[in-house]
């Protein structure tokens, strides 16, 4: 039988940096922009289009978005304007994707561990409270103090897009921090919309919504046909929220929080592989359908829906929202009025200064108190840049302006404030990131081990407090890593307890398809004290690292299989591997193995003699001669 594992040639660690310096083609650059960056550019483009349209012909802009649409049968009908269709219906899909992300982060993501989530959660809460206080303080007496909700939330889409456009050279750790922060930020904003900006409340329809939500929860137990059921119940719940007076977009969040999320388990993956092999041997429509369904079902509905809806949200819904809501008249009279409006300045100061003080101040304070952890490579200057980016409060800010303010002139002043704050925050973040990168020259980037060795955390072979240290970043499908590990073991034979060998994960997932799963498997084995034994077994058979092979290795090593499989899909294991990968990114590790000798990056051969010589140079202690002896 043909081996299903496909392994390409590993990148040589000496050639990785050289390859990284090649100039990519225009097509490659466009392809590398990614959905977040393209979505942010579209959002920016439609915002500018809305402003131009409103200033060229305000009457046509308003007339278009006030066009009525009527849908119904008999006496049952819905009457919407195009503006309401975008804000009440399409934005429910946006908030649905936000809810899916919230659900995922709490189930298997960054917010599963309180110790890991402490700093971004505290920063998010401070980033909600401080802007609101500054807004109320500045806008006091204007009659629009109730619009404080417009300054509390960062725009996740713009935040991620801006980070991709202007972020630091190594944005990975900062991106994880800001996404965790954005999830908590979204929860706070959505809660405030529900509790503060619901005016006419009718409780009876919510009973129907509750029944529909219960149906959404139990739909997961249907053997098939779940998609149409989810869709039908979602419409019922949305209509019930609309009838109750609670803003119908919150129906999207409520539904999303009940959609199941989980990591693929071994049995589902194995079944999908078996069906795929069956289809390969006997290709027909029945086996093709079975294989496709099995592959789809192995991924949680939460992640499938995020993947399915994300392009529509990024490329259609959010640009339409900007087009429908960002049409601000910017003539001299309006700008002069906004310049003297405490409402406008309340929005600007709340978003730009409030977010900066709240997010950065709380993060710096927790770091000063040694509470929580920012992670390797995430320095306070980069957190400062991230805090500045949080001042881009576009989508939900405009959304709440429409809910909280009735007067059209005041709405215009508030929108001017939102747009001005977003531009200021973007420019300020750009300046901070450029200065941050400038003080860290490229030639020193990644030359020092970003995270010091911690015997309580790291996988250490040998005396945990030995005077000599070799840290290897690698993956278990890399032939070069196998050779390097062999050389390091030769060095251990020479130095004995004077050397500690530390393994950290840097799986090349684009080249080695099973490397990430193998890394997670070693972490599951580590929970039972079998990390290095499992790692050696993976190195011994690099061509066979399918899920069944991983479980077979665990069985051969005498591990508790039930516990092993449970740990294999746990958030702790995923987070542990991701931490190492983010550390590797922070040090610009683009090829494996990458070795650090006593905390400094090793360049050159990694045979035993060269490693001993490097240890000598790092410590000024002669150790090479012991290999000859």
């Amino acid at each position: 039988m043909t081996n299903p594992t496909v392994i390409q040639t590993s990148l040589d660690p000496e050639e990785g940096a050289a390859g990284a310096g090649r100039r990519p083609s225009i097509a490659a650059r466009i392809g590398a922009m990614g959905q977040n960056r393209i979505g942010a550019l579209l959002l920016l483009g439609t915002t500018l289009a809305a402003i131009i349209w409103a200033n060229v012909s305000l009457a046509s802009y308003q007339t278009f978005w006030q066009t009525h649409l009527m849908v119904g049968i008999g006496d049952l009908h819905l009457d919407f304007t195009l503006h309401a269709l975008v804000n009440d219906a399409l934005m429910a899909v946006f908030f649905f994707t936000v809810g899916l992300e919230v659900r995922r982060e709490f189930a298997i993501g960054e917010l599963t561990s309180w110790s890991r989530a402490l700093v971004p959660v505290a920063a998010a809460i401070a980033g909600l409270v401080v802007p609101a206080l500054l807004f109320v303080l500045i806008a006091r007496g204007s009659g629009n103090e109730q619009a404080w909700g417009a300054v509390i939330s960062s725009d996740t889409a713009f935040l991620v897009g801006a980070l991709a456009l202007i972020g630091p050279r190594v944005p990975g750790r900062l991106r994880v921090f800001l996404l965790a922060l954005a999830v908590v930020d979204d929860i706070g904003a959505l809660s405030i919309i529900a509790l503060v900006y619901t005016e006419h409340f009718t409780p009876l329809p919510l009973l129907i919504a509750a029944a529909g939500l219960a149906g959404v929860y139990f739909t997961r137990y249907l053997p098939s046909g779940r998609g149409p059921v989810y869709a039908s119940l979602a419409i019922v719940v949305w209509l019930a929220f609309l009838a109750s007076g609670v803003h119908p977009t919150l129906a999207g969040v409520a539904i999303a929080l009940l959609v199941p999320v989980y990591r693929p388990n071994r049995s589902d993956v194995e079944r999908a592989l078996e069906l795929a092999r069956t289809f390969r041997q006997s290709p027909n429509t029945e086996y093709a359908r079975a294989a496709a369904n099995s592959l789809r079902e192995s991924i949680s509905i939460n992640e499938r829906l995020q993947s399915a809806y994300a392009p529509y949200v990024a490329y259609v819904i959010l640009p339409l929202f900007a087009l429908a809501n960002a049409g601000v008249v910017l003539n001299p009279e309006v700008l002069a009025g906004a310049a003297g409006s405490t409402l406008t300045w309340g929005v600007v100061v709340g978003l730009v200064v409030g977010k900066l003080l709240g997010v950065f101040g709380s993060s710096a304070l927790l770091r000063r108190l040694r509470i929580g952890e920012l992670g390797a490579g995430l320095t306070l200057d980069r957190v400062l840049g991230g805090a500045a980016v949080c001042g881009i409060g576009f989508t939900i800010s405009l959304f709440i302006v429409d809910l909280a303010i009735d007067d059209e002139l005041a709405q215009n002043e508030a929108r001017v404030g939102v747009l001005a704050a977003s531009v200021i925050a973007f420019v300020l973040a750009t300046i901070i990131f450029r200065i941050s990168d400038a003080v860290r020259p490229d030639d020193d980037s990644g030359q020092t081990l970003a995270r010091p060795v911690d015997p309580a955390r790291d996988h250490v072979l040998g005396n945990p407090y030995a005077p000599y240290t070799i840290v290897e970043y690698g993956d278990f499908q890399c032939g070069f890593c196998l050779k390097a590990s062999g050389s390091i073991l030769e060095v251990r034979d020479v130095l004995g307890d004077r050397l500690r060998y530390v393994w950290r994960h840097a799986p090349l997932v684009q080249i080695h398809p099973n490397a990430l799963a193998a890394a997670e498997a070693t972490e599951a084995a580590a929970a039972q004290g079998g990390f290095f034994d499992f790692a050696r077994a993976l190195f011994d058979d690099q061509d066979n690292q399918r899920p069944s092979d991983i479980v077979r290795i665990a069985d051969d090593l005498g591990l508790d299989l039930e516990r092993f499989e449970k740990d294999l899909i746990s958030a702790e294991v995923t987070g542990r591997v991701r931490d190492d990968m983010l550390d590797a990114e922070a040090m610009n590790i683009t090829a494996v193995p990458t070795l650090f000798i006593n905390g400094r990056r090793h360049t050159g051969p990694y045979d035993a003699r060269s490693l001993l010589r490097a240890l000598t140079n790092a410590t000024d202690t002669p150790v090479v001669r012991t290999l000859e002896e």
Side-chain angles (χ1 to χ4, degrees), residues 456-522:
R457 174 194 182 274
D458 281 306
H459 304 297
V460 181
L461 187 63
N463 178 7
Y465 302 99
Y468 304 122
T469 302
I470 297 179
V471 177
E472 176 180 0
Y473 280 86
D475 79 20
F476 296 107
Q477 284 193 286
C478 165
F480 292 111
C481 295
L482 174 60
K483 295 177 183 178
S485 297
S487 298
I488 294 170
L489 292 179
E490 288 184 45
V491 175
R492 284 197 70 243
D493 289 340
V494 174
L495 297 181
D497 286 341
R498 290 183 292 164
L499 174 71
R500 60 179 181 179
Y501 166 46
V502 179
W503 172 275
R504 290 179 179 175
H505 304 287
L508 302 180
V509 294
Q510 300 300 324
I511 299 175
H512 301 143
N514 295 330
L516 180 60
E520 292 174 348
T522 58

Side-chain angles (χ1 to χ4, degrees), residues 532-542 544-545 553 557:
F532 282 105
D533 290 337
F534 204 102
R536 176 48 54 191
L538 290 172
F539 273 138
D540 287 344
D541 192 1
Q542 291 188 317
N544 295 291
Q545 295 183 3
I553 293 172
L557 294 176

Side-chain angles (χ1 to χ4, degrees), residues 378-466:
L378 185 52
T379 53
L380 284 179
D381 55 332
R382 285 175 177 159
V383 174
L384 181 65
V389 171
C390 290
I392 303 176
F394 188 81
T395 304
I396 293 183
S397 292
L398 292 178
F399 190 78
I400 294 180
V401 164
D402 189 61
L403 294 177
I405 303 174
D406 296 324
D407 181 70
E408 187 174 340
L409 178 61
Q411 284 185 349
N412 218 35
E413 292 176 349
R415 291 187 183 116
V416 170
V418 171
L419 295 176
S422 298
V423 172
I424 295 170
F426 184 86
V427 172
L428 180 61
T430 303
I431 294 171
I432 293 171
F433 285 137
R434 295 294 80 82
I435 294 174
S436 174
D437 282 345
V439 298
R440 292 182 175 81
D442 284 330
D443 55 3
D444 190 50
S445 176
Q447 297 306 304
T448 303
L449 190 65
R451 185 195 294 271
V453 174
D454 179 2
R457 174 194 182 274
D458 281 306
H459 304 297
V460 181
L461 187 63
N463 178 7
Y465 302 99

Side-chain angles (χ1 to χ4, degrees), residues 553-627:
I553 293 172
D555 191 27
D556 291 343
L557 294 176
L559 301 181
D560 181 336
L561 290 185
E562 182 177 352
R563 179 185 174 188
F564 177 80
E565 293 197 34
K566 182 179 179 181
D567 289 336
L568 199 58
I569 59 175
S570 69
E572 290 77 14
V573 161
T574 304
R576 177 64 175 77
V577 174
R578 182 171 58 175
D579 273 350
D580 281 0
M581 294 173 68
L582 289 171
D583 291 348
E585 185 199 53
M587 294 180 291
N588 196 30
I589 293 175
T590 58
V592 291
T594 294
L595 306 182
F596 288 82
I597 306 294
N598 282 0
R600 294 292 297 176
R601 194 167 189 153
H602 173 67
T603 56
Y606 43 81
D607 59 278
R609 185 182 299 275
S610 298
L611 295 180
L612 282 166
R613 185 176 296 110
L615 286 166
T616 297
N617 294 336
T619 61
D620 295 326
T621 302
V623 294
V624 177
R625 63 183 179 81
T626 57
L627 184 64

Side-chain angles (χ1 to χ4, degrees), residues 161-180:
L163 193 63
L165 288 168
I166 63 168
R169 281 191 297 263
V170 186
R173 185 78 69 179
L174 178 61
R175 186 176 187 276
V176 171
F177 174 83
L178 290 179
L179 283 176

